[in-house]
Amino acid sequence: MLLNMIQPLRKPSIPRCSAYIFTRLQSTFYQNRHLETYISKTTQRLTLRQLVFFGRHMNEERLIKSANYVRTELPVRIAHRLRDLQNLPYIVVTQEGVSKVYELYWSAFEKFRRYPPITTLSENDKFCEFVNGLVNEHATVIPNLSLGLSLSSPYLAPDELDSFMRRMLTSRVSRRVLVEHHIALTEMFRGRREKEASGEPHVGIIFTGLKAKKSIERCIKLLRERPTWVEDFNEKIDQWPEVIIDGQLDTQFPYIKEHFEYIIFELLKNSMRANLLAHRNSPSIPSIKATIAAGENDIGVRISDQGGGLYSDSQINEPADLFSFSHRRNAARMEHSRIGALRSASYSNKGVLATVAEQVDRWNHAKSDEVKDQATCTEPHPRIGIGLPMSNIFATYFGGSLELVSLDGWGTDTYLRLPKLGTNLEGIEV
Ligand code: COI
């Protein structure tokens, strides 16, 4: 069965984990008594509305309840993902990037499992420090997983590989949402959090009236003023495509700003690149259109470019293949430059996802231009192929969707739909 899945074509030499990690892997792989207990528990999934309602009128008792929810919920979510990792063929789980993630998750699982109940505000402060440490420690999980699974893709059927990655990434987003929301609620309650620079109302990390147009404008500004993402263009760019925002411009909805802006940033970035590349020899670069629509249950954003579409010079067969981590669906996964960029990102202590989201966030928080200069990451963005798959994970996390439609020879339309009532539970894969 496994042999059938092995493609004889291109087997990369897979860097294996260190002897130390290999021994740790062996010793933890079958020590499953506690793991079994946690895997038998079901996750307590939440809706956006529950997160807002619970956090809105905060008091000591609620904050401590929130801390204990995070303390008991995270090991359950991590345990399910540890089981997913154990179910991979051994040749995959012992691969460099994957084994690193397995180690990190095993260690976080053990720490959470042993963490004593939180009963006071000062114990909660310590708990926040503890989880914040883990958030930083796990910064490179995505490039590591992506590197490991791209390199292992000859050993896994594409559907199996993609559903594994989907569960890993959705679950990671979910854990960070719970942790970051709790930390934000604590900081607000303890009076340690500065007021939002933009003045937009929020509860924890959820913006209760996120203004779609304002977010789009912030992303455009960041893309134009800090074009580190065009670092691999050979030509100097002296003309930027204009972005025209139209539709229902006063649309507001409750959402996690960081997620919405991550998606918009990525989509606009792709459209700008495509327009610039397709029209680099023309006297003018066509504009990009961002249309906002407010439906009864959802908000929609359509981004249309004239970058020639998705198929002209790529090896993908359908747009959804761009979300895939399998080289059989998306050949770019095995390109040397991609693997090299992933490898560097997997060793960086910053984490790639953080750089984009944090840039937008730090930019939003910075008050003066001088502070903005310091706040914005000046390093170029490595092109590691994470932007679209992650945007898809963020879009679908609370039941939205992301679709790409290519008008080959002309351009691409991307449709983002996000639920606006906040009543959908987090995805089943958490
Ligand atoms: C992750 O970032 O992968 C996490 O699971 C973070 C969590 C342990 C706080």
Side-chain angles (χ1 to χ4, degrees), residues 8-42:
L9 301 173
R10 295 159 65 198
K11 254 189 248 158
S13 63
I14 298 187
R16 309 302 290 277
C17 56
S18 69
Y20 166 73
I21 291 187
F22 188 73
T23 316
R24 288 272 299 143
L25 264 177
Q26 279 190 317
S27 65
T28 55
F29 221 82
Y30 301 104
Q31 278 174 12
N32 282 340
R33 193 166 55 86
H34 294 298
L35 196 63
E36 294 303 333
T37 312
Y38 277 84
I39 287 172
S40 67
K41 298 181 189 191
T42 41

PDB file of all heavy atoms in Angstrom, residues 8-42:
ATOM      1  N   PRO A   8       8.173   6.743  -8.259  1.00  0.00           N
ATOM      2  CA  PRO A   8       9.560   6.413  -8.590  1.00  0.00           C
ATOM      3  C   PRO A   8      10.305   7.590  -9.212  1.00  0.00           C
ATOM      4  O   PRO A   8      11.508   7.581  -9.289  1.00  0.00           O
ATOM      5  CB  PRO A   8       9.405   5.273  -9.590  1.00  0.00           C
ATOM      6  CG  PRO A   8       8.030   5.410 -10.134  1.00  0.00           C
ATOM      7  CD  PRO A   8       7.200   6.134  -9.143  1.00  0.00           C
ATOM      8  N   LEU A   9       9.558   8.646  -9.624  1.00  0.00           N
ATOM      9  CA  LEU A   9      10.171   9.700 -10.426  1.00  0.00           C
ATOM     10  C   LEU A   9      11.290  10.458  -9.729  1.00  0.00           C
ATOM     11  O   LEU A   9      12.450  10.267  -9.996  1.00  0.00           O
ATOM     12  CB  LEU A   9       9.092  10.705 -10.851  1.00  0.00           C
ATOM     13  CG  LEU A   9       7.947  10.137 -11.673  1.00  0.00           C
ATOM     14  CD1 LEU A   9       6.891  11.207 -11.866  1.00  0.00           C
ATOM     15  CD2 LEU A   9       8.489   9.646 -13.000  1.00  0.00           C
ATOM     16  N   ARG A  10      10.902  11.316  -8.806  1.00  0.00           N
ATOM     17  CA  ARG A  10      11.913  12.195  -8.207  1.00  0.00           C
ATOM     18  C   ARG A  10      11.903  11.995  -6.718  1.00  0.00           C
ATOM     19  O   ARG A  10      11.051  12.513  -6.026  1.00  0.00           O
ATOM     20  CB  ARG A  10      11.562  13.652  -8.498  1.00  0.00           C
ATOM     21  CG  ARG A  10      11.608  13.996  -9.954  1.00  0.00           C
ATOM     22  CD  ARG A  10      10.786  15.215 -10.204  1.00  0.00           C
ATOM     23  NE  ARG A  10      11.323  16.399  -9.541  1.00  0.00           N
ATOM     24  CZ  ARG A  10      10.597  17.479  -9.328  1.00  0.00           C
ATOM     25  NH1 ARG A  10       9.343  17.509  -9.658  1.00  0.00           N
ATOM     26  NH2 ARG A  10      11.137  18.533  -8.755  1.00  0.00           N
ATOM     27  N   LYS A  11      12.845  11.238  -6.248  1.00  0.00           N
ATOM     28  CA  LYS A  11      12.889  11.111  -4.797  1.00  0.00           C
ATOM     29  C   LYS A  11      13.964  12.031  -4.271  1.00  0.00           C
ATOM     30  O   LYS A  11      15.139  11.857  -4.593  1.00  0.00           O
ATOM     31  CB  LYS A  11      13.165   9.675  -4.398  1.00  0.00           C
ATOM     32  CG  LYS A  11      11.894   9.029  -3.868  1.00  0.00           C
ATOM     33  CD  LYS A  11      12.163   7.689  -3.264  1.00  0.00           C
ATOM     34  CE  LYS A  11      11.555   6.607  -4.101  1.00  0.00           C
ATOM     35  NZ  LYS A  11      12.155   5.314  -3.899  1.00  0.00           N
ATOM     36  N   PRO A  12      13.599  13.050  -3.525  1.00  0.00           N
ATOM     37  CA  PRO A  12      14.622  13.954  -3.019  1.00  0.00           C
ATOM     38  C   PRO A  12      15.406  13.262  -1.920  1.00  0.00           C
ATOM     39  O   PRO A  12      14.903  12.338  -1.301  1.00  0.00           O
ATOM     40  CB  PRO A  12      13.788  15.090  -2.423  1.00  0.00           C
ATOM     41  CG  PRO A  12      12.509  14.448  -2.038  1.00  0.00           C
ATOM     42  CD  PRO A  12      12.271  13.326  -2.988  1.00  0.00           C
ATOM     43  N   SER A  13      16.630  13.726  -1.706  1.00  0.00           N
ATOM     44  CA  SER A  13      17.314  13.182  -0.546  1.00  0.00           C
ATOM     45  C   SER A  13      16.752  13.911   0.655  1.00  0.00           C
ATOM     46  O   SER A  13      16.771  15.138   0.723  1.00  0.00           O
ATOM     47  CB  SER A  13      18.811  13.415  -0.667  1.00  0.00           C
ATOM     48  OG  SER A  13      19.045  14.789  -0.666  1.00  0.00           O
ATOM     49  N   ILE A  14      16.188  13.182   1.552  1.00  0.00           N
ATOM     50  CA  ILE A  14      15.485  13.810   2.674  1.00  0.00           C
ATOM     51  C   ILE A  14      16.437  13.966   3.854  1.00  0.00           C
ATOM     52  O   ILE A  14      16.953  12.983   4.368  1.00  0.00           O
ATOM     53  CB  ILE A  14      14.277  12.969   3.101  1.00  0.00           C
ATOM     54  CG1 ILE A  14      13.308  12.897   1.924  1.00  0.00           C
ATOM     55  CG2 ILE A  14      13.604  13.532   4.309  1.00  0.00           C
ATOM     56  CD1 ILE A  14      12.010  12.248   2.272  1.00  0.00           C
ATOM     57  N   PRO A  15      16.688  15.232   4.269  1.00  0.00           N
ATOM     58  CA  PRO A  15      17.526  15.384   5.451  1.00  0.00           C
ATOM     59  C   PRO A  15      16.784  14.803   6.653  1.00  0.00           C
ATOM     60  O   PRO A  15      15.614  15.120   6.862  1.00  0.00           O
ATOM     61  CB  PRO A  15      17.685  16.900   5.596  1.00  0.00           C
ATOM     62  CG  PRO A  15      16.966  17.496   4.465  1.00  0.00           C
ATOM     63  CD  PRO A  15      16.178  16.465   3.769  1.00  0.00           C
ATOM     64  N   ARG A  16      17.417  13.936   7.384  1.00  0.00           N
ATOM     65  CA  ARG A  16      16.734  13.283   8.493  1.00  0.00           C
ATOM     66  C   ARG A  16      17.021  14.031   9.786  1.00  0.00           C
ATOM     67  O   ARG A  16      17.921  14.851   9.876  1.00  0.00           O
ATOM     68  CB  ARG A  16      17.181  11.824   8.610  1.00  0.00           C
ATOM     69  CG  ARG A  16      17.095  11.079   7.292  1.00  0.00           C
ATOM     70  CD  ARG A  16      15.677  11.096   6.741  1.00  0.00           C
ATOM     71  NE  ARG A  16      14.803  10.278   7.536  1.00  0.00           N
ATOM     72  CZ  ARG A  16      14.688   8.967   7.397  1.00  0.00           C
ATOM     73  NH1 ARG A  16      15.379   8.358   6.479  1.00  0.00           N
ATOM     74  NH2 ARG A  16      13.899   8.276   8.160  1.00  0.00           N
ATOM     75  N   CYS A  17      16.239  13.716  10.790  1.00  0.00           N
ATOM     76  CA  CYS A  17      16.404  14.406  12.059  1.00  0.00           C
ATOM     77  C   CYS A  17      17.693  13.958  12.746  1.00  0.00           C
ATOM     78  O   CYS A  17      18.272  12.942  12.395  1.00  0.00           O
ATOM     79  CB  CYS A  17      15.204  14.122  12.947  1.00  0.00           C
ATOM     80  SG  CYS A  17      14.926  12.389  13.208  1.00  0.00           S
ATOM     81  N   SER A  18      18.093  14.727  13.775  1.00  0.00           N
ATOM     82  CA  SER A  18      19.332  14.412  14.467  1.00  0.00           C
ATOM     83  C   SER A  18      19.164  13.133  15.298  1.00  0.00           C
ATOM     84  O   SER A  18      18.047  12.703  15.576  1.00  0.00           O
ATOM     85  CB  SER A  18      19.683  15.570  15.394  1.00  0.00           C
ATOM     86  OG  SER A  18      18.740  15.608  16.437  1.00  0.00           O
ATOM     87  N   ALA A  19      20.310  12.570  15.690  1.00  0.00           N
ATOM     88  CA  ALA A  19      20.260  11.324  16.458  1.00  0.00           C
ATOM     89  C   ALA A  19      19.508  11.549  17.764  1.00  0.00           C
ATOM     90  O   ALA A  19      18.723  10.710  18.213  1.00  0.00           O
ATOM     91  CB  ALA A  19      21.680  10.860  16.742  1.00  0.00           C
ATOM     92  N   TYR A  20      19.720  12.742  18.369  1.00  0.00           N
ATOM     93  CA  TYR A  20      19.045  13.027  19.647  1.00  0.00           C
ATOM     94  C   TYR A  20      17.523  12.999  19.466  1.00  0.00           C
ATOM     95  O   TYR A  20      16.800  12.328  20.185  1.00  0.00           O
ATOM     96  CB  TYR A  20      19.485  14.409  20.166  1.00  0.00           C
ATOM     97  CG  TYR A  20      18.598  14.921  21.273  1.00  0.00           C
ATOM     98  CD1 TYR A  20      18.671  14.362  22.552  1.00  0.00           C
ATOM     99  CD2 TYR A  20      17.660  15.937  21.034  1.00  0.00           C
ATOM    100  CE1 TYR A  20      17.833  14.805  23.561  1.00  0.00           C
ATOM    101  CE2 TYR A  20      16.821  16.375  22.035  1.00  0.00           C
ATOM    102  CZ  TYR A  20      16.912  15.811  23.303  1.00  0.00           C
ATOM    103  OH  TYR A  20      16.070  16.243  24.293  1.00  0.00           O
ATOM    104  N   ILE A  21      17.083  13.712  18.407  1.00  0.00           N
ATOM    105  CA  ILE A  21      15.629  13.774  18.193  1.00  0.00           C
ATOM    106  C   ILE A  21      15.099  12.389  17.831  1.00  0.00           C
ATOM    107  O   ILE A  21      14.024  11.985  18.255  1.00  0.00           O
ATOM    108  CB  ILE A  21      15.288  14.831  17.115  1.00  0.00           C
ATOM    109  CG1 ILE A  21      15.587  16.215  17.691  1.00  0.00           C
ATOM    110  CG2 ILE A  21      13.825  14.752  16.704  1.00  0.00           C
ATOM    111  CD1 ILE A  21      15.168  17.365  16.837  1.00  0.00           C
ATOM    112  N   PHE A  22      15.906  11.637  17.087  1.00  0.00           N
ATOM    113  CA  PHE A  22      15.467  10.301  16.691  1.00  0.00           C
ATOM    114  C   PHE A  22      15.215   9.445  17.942  1.00  0.00           C
ATOM    115  O   PHE A  22      14.202   8.762  18.066  1.00  0.00           O
ATOM    116  CB  PHE A  22      16.525   9.657  15.791  1.00  0.00           C
ATOM    117  CG  PHE A  22      16.066   8.361  15.199  1.00  0.00           C
ATOM    118  CD1 PHE A  22      15.127   8.356  14.181  1.00  0.00           C
ATOM    119  CD2 PHE A  22      16.539   7.151  15.681  1.00  0.00           C
ATOM    120  CE1 PHE A  22      14.681   7.157  13.637  1.00  0.00           C
ATOM    121  CE2 PHE A  22      16.101   5.955  15.148  1.00  0.00           C
ATOM    122  CZ  PHE A  22      15.168   5.961  14.123  1.00  0.00           C
ATOM    123  N   THR A  23      16.143   9.559  18.916  1.00  0.00           N
ATOM    124  CA  THR A  23      15.975   8.776  20.140  1.00  0.00           C
ATOM    125  C   THR A  23      14.739   9.246  20.893  1.00  0.00           C
ATOM    126  O   THR A  23      13.943   8.457  21.394  1.00  0.00           O
ATOM    127  CB  THR A  23      17.225   8.967  21.049  1.00  0.00           C
ATOM    128  OG1 THR A  23      18.352   8.882  20.221  1.00  0.00           O
ATOM    129  CG2 THR A  23      17.288   7.937  22.140  1.00  0.00           C
ATOM    130  N   ARG A  24      14.566  10.591  20.938  1.00  0.00           N
ATOM    131  CA  ARG A  24      13.391  11.143  21.628  1.00  0.00           C
ATOM    132  C   ARG A  24      12.115  10.675  20.931  1.00  0.00           C
ATOM    133  O   ARG A  24      11.139  10.312  21.568  1.00  0.00           O
ATOM    134  CB  ARG A  24      13.430  12.675  21.598  1.00  0.00           C
ATOM    135  CG  ARG A  24      14.469  13.297  22.494  1.00  0.00           C
ATOM    136  CD  ARG A  24      13.951  13.524  23.908  1.00  0.00           C
ATOM    137  NE  ARG A  24      12.809  14.437  23.894  1.00  0.00           N
ATOM    138  CZ  ARG A  24      11.761  14.327  24.680  1.00  0.00           C
ATOM    139  NH1 ARG A  24      11.662  13.331  25.514  1.00  0.00           N
ATOM    140  NH2 ARG A  24      10.783  15.199  24.626  1.00  0.00           N
ATOM    141  N   LEU A  25      12.167  10.698  19.596  1.00  0.00           N
ATOM    142  CA  LEU A  25      10.991  10.269  18.837  1.00  0.00           C
ATOM    143  C   LEU A  25      10.626   8.843  19.181  1.00  0.00           C
ATOM    144  O   LEU A  25       9.472   8.510  19.423  1.00  0.00           O
ATOM    145  CB  LEU A  25      11.303  10.320  17.334  1.00  0.00           C
ATOM    146  CG  LEU A  25      10.889  11.547  16.560  1.00  0.00           C
ATOM    147  CD1 LEU A  25      11.360  11.425  15.129  1.00  0.00           C
ATOM    148  CD2 LEU A  25       9.394  11.709  16.593  1.00  0.00           C
ATOM    149  N   GLN A  26      11.669   8.001  19.213  1.00  0.00           N
ATOM    150  CA  GLN A  26      11.409   6.598  19.501  1.00  0.00           C
ATOM    151  C   GLN A  26      10.831   6.432  20.892  1.00  0.00           C
ATOM    152  O   GLN A  26       9.917   5.653  21.112  1.00  0.00           O
ATOM    153  CB  GLN A  26      12.709   5.817  19.398  1.00  0.00           C
ATOM    154  CG  GLN A  26      13.058   5.480  17.969  1.00  0.00           C
ATOM    155  CD  GLN A  26      14.205   4.512  17.920  1.00  0.00           C
ATOM    156  OE1 GLN A  26      15.163   4.685  18.660  1.00  0.00           O
ATOM    157  NE2 GLN A  26      14.115   3.527  17.065  1.00  0.00           N
ATOM    158  N   SER A  27      11.391   7.219  21.846  1.00  0.00           N
ATOM    159  CA  SER A  27      10.934   7.009  23.211  1.00  0.00           C
ATOM    160  C   SER A  27       9.537   7.579  23.441  1.00  0.00           C
ATOM    161  O   SER A  27       8.815   7.106  24.293  1.00  0.00           O
ATOM    162  CB  SER A  27      11.934   7.597  24.208  1.00  0.00           C
ATOM    163  OG  SER A  27      11.967   8.986  24.042  1.00  0.00           O
ATOM    164  N   THR A  28       9.174   8.633  22.687  1.00  0.00           N
ATOM    165  CA  THR A  28       7.843   9.200  22.932  1.00  0.00           C
ATOM    166  C   THR A  28       6.790   8.580  22.025  1.00  0.00           C
ATOM    167  O   THR A  28       5.610   8.693  22.293  1.00  0.00           O
ATOM    168  CB  THR A  28       7.832  10.724  22.694  1.00  0.00           C
ATOM    169  OG1 THR A  28       8.300  10.982  21.389  1.00  0.00           O
ATOM    170  CG2 THR A  28       8.655  11.453  23.711  1.00  0.00           C
ATOM    171  N   PHE A  29       7.240   7.943  20.970  1.00  0.00           N
ATOM    172  CA  PHE A  29       6.278   7.503  19.974  1.00  0.00           C
ATOM    173  C   PHE A  29       5.246   6.545  20.555  1.00  0.00           C
ATOM    174  O   PHE A  29       4.075   6.592  20.216  1.00  0.00           O
ATOM    175  CB  PHE A  29       7.026   6.851  18.803  1.00  0.00           C
ATOM    176  CG  PHE A  29       6.442   7.231  17.495  1.00  0.00           C
ATOM    177  CD1 PHE A  29       6.779   8.437  16.908  1.00  0.00           C
ATOM    178  CD2 PHE A  29       5.520   6.429  16.854  1.00  0.00           C
ATOM    179  CE1 PHE A  29       6.234   8.821  15.704  1.00  0.00           C
ATOM    180  CE2 PHE A  29       4.966   6.804  15.644  1.00  0.00           C
ATOM    181  CZ  PHE A  29       5.322   8.008  15.074  1.00  0.00           C
ATOM    182  N   TYR A  30       5.712   5.676  21.414  1.00  0.00           N
ATOM    183  CA  TYR A  30       4.776   4.657  21.915  1.00  0.00           C
ATOM    184  C   TYR A  30       4.340   4.908  23.351  1.00  0.00           C
ATOM    185  O   TYR A  30       3.615   4.116  23.910  1.00  0.00           O
ATOM    186  CB  TYR A  30       5.416   3.277  21.749  1.00  0.00           C
ATOM    187  CG  TYR A  30       5.746   3.015  20.297  1.00  0.00           C
ATOM    188  CD1 TYR A  30       7.044   3.104  19.828  1.00  0.00           C
ATOM    189  CD2 TYR A  30       4.733   2.750  19.380  1.00  0.00           C
ATOM    190  CE1 TYR A  30       7.333   2.909  18.488  1.00  0.00           C
ATOM    191  CE2 TYR A  30       5.011   2.559  18.040  1.00  0.00           C
ATOM    192  CZ  TYR A  30       6.308   2.650  17.596  1.00  0.00           C
ATOM    193  OH  TYR A  30       6.587   2.471  16.270  1.00  0.00           O
ATOM    194  N   GLN A  31       4.841   6.026  23.920  1.00  0.00           N
ATOM    195  CA  GLN A  31       4.408   6.339  25.292  1.00  0.00           C
ATOM    196  C   GLN A  31       3.071   7.054  25.219  1.00  0.00           C
ATOM    197  O   GLN A  31       2.994   8.267  25.342  1.00  0.00           O
ATOM    198  CB  GLN A  31       5.411   7.279  25.958  1.00  0.00           C
ATOM    199  CG  GLN A  31       6.605   6.571  26.526  1.00  0.00           C
ATOM    200  CD  GLN A  31       7.607   7.585  27.036  1.00  0.00           C
ATOM    201  OE1 GLN A  31       7.286   8.761  27.143  1.00  0.00           O
ATOM    202  NE2 GLN A  31       8.795   7.135  27.331  1.00  0.00           N
ATOM    203  N   ASN A  32       2.022   6.303  25.022  1.00  0.00           N
ATOM    204  CA  ASN A  32       0.785   6.970  24.645  1.00  0.00           C
ATOM    205  C   ASN A  32      -0.314   6.949  25.688  1.00  0.00           C
ATOM    206  O   ASN A  32      -1.440   7.301  25.387  1.00  0.00           O
ATOM    207  CB  ASN A  32       0.262   6.358  23.344  1.00  0.00           C
ATOM    208  CG  ASN A  32       1.029   6.893  22.156  1.00  0.00           C
ATOM    209  OD1 ASN A  32       1.652   7.933  22.272  1.00  0.00           O
ATOM    210  ND2 ASN A  32       0.994   6.192  21.053  1.00  0.00           N
ATOM    211  N   ARG A  33      -0.001   6.575  26.904  1.00  0.00           N
ATOM    212  CA  ARG A  33      -1.085   6.448  27.895  1.00  0.00           C
ATOM    213  C   ARG A  33      -1.824   7.788  28.076  1.00  0.00           C
ATOM    214  O   ARG A  33      -3.033   7.852  27.943  1.00  0.00           O
ATOM    215  CB  ARG A  33      -0.511   5.965  29.228  1.00  0.00           C
ATOM    216  CG  ARG A  33      -1.553   5.512  30.227  1.00  0.00           C
ATOM    217  CD  ARG A  33      -0.890   4.733  31.361  1.00  0.00           C
ATOM    218  NE  ARG A  33       0.184   5.485  32.003  1.00  0.00           N
ATOM    219  CZ  ARG A  33      -0.003   6.344  33.003  1.00  0.00           C
ATOM    220  NH1 ARG A  33      -1.214   6.568  33.462  1.00  0.00           N
ATOM    221  NH2 ARG A  33       1.024   6.982  33.547  1.00  0.00           N
ATOM    222  N   HIS A  34      -1.038   8.848  28.327  1.00  0.00           N
ATOM    223  CA  HIS A  34      -1.678  10.157  28.525  1.00  0.00           C
ATOM    224  C   HIS A  34      -2.277  10.659  27.225  1.00  0.00           C
ATOM    225  O   HIS A  34      -3.347  11.252  27.201  1.00  0.00           O
ATOM    226  CB  HIS A  34      -0.666  11.172  29.050  1.00  0.00           C
ATOM    227  CG  HIS A  34      -0.181  10.840  30.417  1.00  0.00           C
ATOM    228  ND1 HIS A  34      -1.023  10.786  31.498  1.00  0.00           N
ATOM    229  CD2 HIS A  34       1.053  10.517  30.867  1.00  0.00           C
ATOM    230  CE1 HIS A  34      -0.321  10.441  32.572  1.00  0.00           C
ATOM    231  NE2 HIS A  34       0.933  10.272  32.217  1.00  0.00           N
ATOM    232  N   LEU A  35      -1.542  10.383  26.172  1.00  0.00           N
ATOM    233  CA  LEU A  35      -2.030  10.848  24.866  1.00  0.00           C
ATOM    234  C   LEU A  35      -3.398  10.234  24.571  1.00  0.00           C
ATOM    235  O   LEU A  35      -4.339  10.928  24.162  1.00  0.00           O
ATOM    236  CB  LEU A  35      -1.012  10.460  23.790  1.00  0.00           C
ATOM    237  CG  LEU A  35      -1.170  11.175  22.461  1.00  0.00           C
ATOM    238  CD1 LEU A  35      -0.957  12.672  22.601  1.00  0.00           C
ATOM    239  CD2 LEU A  35      -0.192  10.628  21.426  1.00  0.00           C
ATOM    240  N   GLU A  36      -3.535   8.937  24.834  1.00  0.00           N
ATOM    241  CA  GLU A  36      -4.815   8.257  24.563  1.00  0.00           C
ATOM    242  C   GLU A  36      -5.945   8.929  25.344  1.00  0.00           C
ATOM    243  O   GLU A  36      -7.038   9.142  24.834  1.00  0.00           O
ATOM    244  CB  GLU A  36      -4.760   6.774  24.963  1.00  0.00           C
ATOM    245  CG  GLU A  36      -3.809   5.925  24.149  1.00  0.00           C
ATOM    246  CD  GLU A  36      -4.084   5.957  22.649  1.00  0.00           C
ATOM    247  OE1 GLU A  36      -5.240   6.186  22.239  1.00  0.00           O
ATOM    248  OE2 GLU A  36      -3.110   5.780  21.882  1.00  0.00           O
ATOM    249  N   THR A  37      -5.660   9.278  26.596  1.00  0.00           N
ATOM    250  CA  THR A  37      -6.694   9.914  27.430  1.00  0.00           C
ATOM    251  C   THR A  37      -7.165  11.215  26.789  1.00  0.00           C
ATOM    252  O   THR A  37      -8.359  11.491  26.705  1.00  0.00           O
ATOM    253  CB  THR A  37      -6.115  10.241  28.834  1.00  0.00           C
ATOM    254  OG1 THR A  37      -5.458   9.097  29.296  1.00  0.00           O
ATOM    255  CG2 THR A  37      -7.174  10.706  29.796  1.00  0.00           C
ATOM    256  N   TYR A  38      -6.187  11.997  26.314  1.00  0.00           N
ATOM    257  CA  TYR A  38      -6.554  13.305  25.744  1.00  0.00           C
ATOM    258  C   TYR A  38      -7.203  13.157  24.373  1.00  0.00           C
ATOM    259  O   TYR A  38      -8.101  13.916  24.022  1.00  0.00           O
ATOM    260  CB  TYR A  38      -5.319  14.222  25.692  1.00  0.00           C
ATOM    261  CG  TYR A  38      -5.075  14.888  27.026  1.00  0.00           C
ATOM    262  CD1 TYR A  38      -4.375  14.231  28.032  1.00  0.00           C
ATOM    263  CD2 TYR A  38      -5.597  16.145  27.310  1.00  0.00           C
ATOM    264  CE1 TYR A  38      -4.183  14.809  29.272  1.00  0.00           C
ATOM    265  CE2 TYR A  38      -5.408  16.739  28.549  1.00  0.00           C
ATOM    266  CZ  TYR A  38      -4.699  16.069  29.527  1.00  0.00           C
ATOM    267  OH  TYR A  38      -4.521  16.658  30.754  1.00  0.00           O
ATOM    268  N   ILE A  39      -6.752  12.157  23.621  1.00  0.00           N
ATOM    269  CA  ILE A  39      -7.344  11.961  22.296  1.00  0.00           C
ATOM    270  C   ILE A  39      -8.803  11.519  22.429  1.00  0.00           C
ATOM    271  O   ILE A  39      -9.644  11.835  21.591  1.00  0.00           O
ATOM    272  CB  ILE A  39      -6.516  10.939  21.474  1.00  0.00           C
ATOM    273  CG1 ILE A  39      -5.203  11.589  21.041  1.00  0.00           C
ATOM    274  CG2 ILE A  39      -7.283  10.462  20.243  1.00  0.00           C
ATOM    275  CD1 ILE A  39      -4.220  10.655  20.410  1.00  0.00           C
ATOM    276  N   SER A  40      -9.113  10.832  23.530  1.00  0.00           N
ATOM    277  CA  SER A  40     -10.501  10.371  23.688  1.00  0.00           C
ATOM    278  C   SER A  40     -11.454  11.536  24.033  1.00  0.00           C
ATOM    279  O   SER A  40     -12.660  11.388  24.008  1.00  0.00           O
ATOM    280  CB  SER A  40     -10.578   9.283  24.750  1.00  0.00           C
ATOM    281  OG  SER A  40     -10.275   9.867  25.999  1.00  0.00           O
ATOM    282  N   LYS A  41     -10.887  12.698  24.369  1.00  0.00           N
ATOM    283  CA  LYS A  41     -11.751  13.857  24.676  1.00  0.00           C
ATOM    284  C   LYS A  41     -12.092  14.592  23.383  1.00  0.00           C
ATOM    285  O   LYS A  41     -11.256  14.649  22.472  1.00  0.00           O
ATOM    286  CB  LYS A  41     -11.023  14.845  25.605  1.00  0.00           C
ATOM    287  CG  LYS A  41     -10.666  14.232  26.931  1.00  0.00           C
ATOM    288  CD  LYS A  41      -9.972  15.260  27.802  1.00  0.00           C
ATOM    289  CE  LYS A  41      -9.418  14.552  29.046  1.00  0.00           C
ATOM    290  NZ  LYS A  41      -8.954  15.405  30.080  1.00  0.00           N
ATOM    291  N   THR A  42     -13.292  15.170  23.336  1.00  0.00           N
ATOM    292  CA  THR A  42     -13.614  15.960  22.137  1.00  0.00           C
ATOM    293  C   THR A  42     -13.264  17.424  22.390  1.00  0.00           C
ATOM    294  O   THR A  42     -13.320  17.901  23.528  1.00  0.00           O
ATOM    295  CB  THR A  42     -15.110  15.871  21.753  1.00  0.00           C
ATOM    296  OG1 THR A  42     -15.854  15.942  22.937  1.00  0.00           O
ATOM    297  CG2 THR A  42     -15.430  14.632  20.960  1.00  0.00           C
TER     298      THR A  42
END
